[in-house]
Amino acid sequence: MKISWDIDLGGMNTFRMRVRCRCLVEYDNVEELRDALSDPSLPRPLFPIGGGSNLLFTKDFPGTVLHGTIKGIKKLDSGRVYAGAGVVWDDFCAWCADNDLWGPENLSYIPGEVGASAVQNIGAYGREVCELISSVECVDTRDAAAISIPAADCRYAYRDSIFKKEWKGRYIVTGVIFKVSETPDPVLDYGHVREAVIERFGAGALEKLTPAMVRETVTAIRKTKLPDVADLGSAGSFFRNPYVSKEIFESIRNIAETEGLGPVPHFDVGEGLVKVPAAWLIDKCGWKGRANGGAAVYEKQPLVIVNRSGEASPEDVVSLAARVQASVKEKFGANLEREVEYV
């Protein structure tokens, strides 16, 4: 376990916010985490982070940041794989694809680490990670006890879990056990993945399909739309796709027809709700490429806010996000919820 004081967190969050924490603890295993939780000398509050890919530090953190580096991927049996919380998520996707294991290939190239994936319930191209999770290995911050939580108890929903609500701050993820398949189980009918696979690998691609082929295709698609956080600071998708009532959806469609905005992409999710892409709403409000101080709405994907100058302040990002939300609400009547957590 390594303990450091007064640390710049600019290199530990993908937005590259130059904020500091009073104390940083880096731990390599469960026992070191338990020791840290039981150490009264560490300044409170305690805040765990992984790759720092889904959060925005809005100011200096007065307590202790806990950064886990628990690594390791291993196959438990024919249908399950364990990955440490500190494994880079895309590295896990690559490992599964290289071993001809189906499951996470559609989630390739999503930034962050394995531990955060189980908290955020990341998703892309017709797949959510909760569909793959068997159990989540955690340490309880109240008594430093290790516990395995079945996926059924995690209350997974769209970009949500109990770890973000009732259990927020209580459990720190140390590892995840995933369900995988050794037999082909492709998900291709979302976002033109099927067509992209055929275009990339030829007309007979579907007969010889492998998880590596799907992973390569999805990665290529995502690279055309999303910035590489190594080159341009961001937190990935900043907003969730809103679920609106059918009445609001009809209003959105009427506005689009009146203003010549084209057809409104949507998906009926049942219970009188319709999912409308946040990117479409933001784009039709004219935000693509617009800046606020050092921050900007990404010109290739308006769902993403970027640290365009490399020196954006937290206030630049917060203000820009609020302006985007207000604009979408005023024009279309839809509420955009943040996917990014403010700290």
Side-chain angles (χ1 to χ4, degrees), residues 126-197:
R127 179 79 83 183
E128 290 187 330
V129 77
C130 65
E131 302 166 29
L132 309 176
I133 292 175
S134 175
S135 62
V136 183
E137 313 301 301
C138 301
V139 169
D140 192 331
T141 60
R142 300 179 306 176
D143 56 10
I147 183 174
S148 179
I149 302 174
D153 294 338
C154 297
R155 297 186 192 173
Y156 284 118
Y158 172 64
R159 303 296 184 271
D160 204 4
S161 73
I162 196 171
F163 299 111
K164 299 177 71 173
K165 293 181 176 178
E166 293 93 329
W167 289 350
K168 184 177 176 61
R170 176 175 172 181
Y171 293 107
I172 297 176
V173 178
T174 58
V176 182
I177 295 177
F178 295 95
K179 297 174 289 185
V180 294
S181 175
E182 294 182 340
T183 57
D185 184 28
V187 176
L188 304 177
D189 295 320
Y190 189 98
H192 307 294
V193 173
R194 182 183 300 272
E195 293 86 344
V197 167

Side-chain angles (χ1 to χ4, degrees), residues 8-20 49-57 229 233-235 307:
D8 181 350
L9 296 174
M12 299 186 69
N13 68 95
T14 59
F15 246 125
R16 301 182 191 169
M17 291 294 107
R18 300 300 299 271
V19 296
R20 309 185 75 83
I49 66 170
S53 62
N54 203 53
L55 54 84
L56 175 71
F57 282 102
V229 294
S234 80
N307 182 354

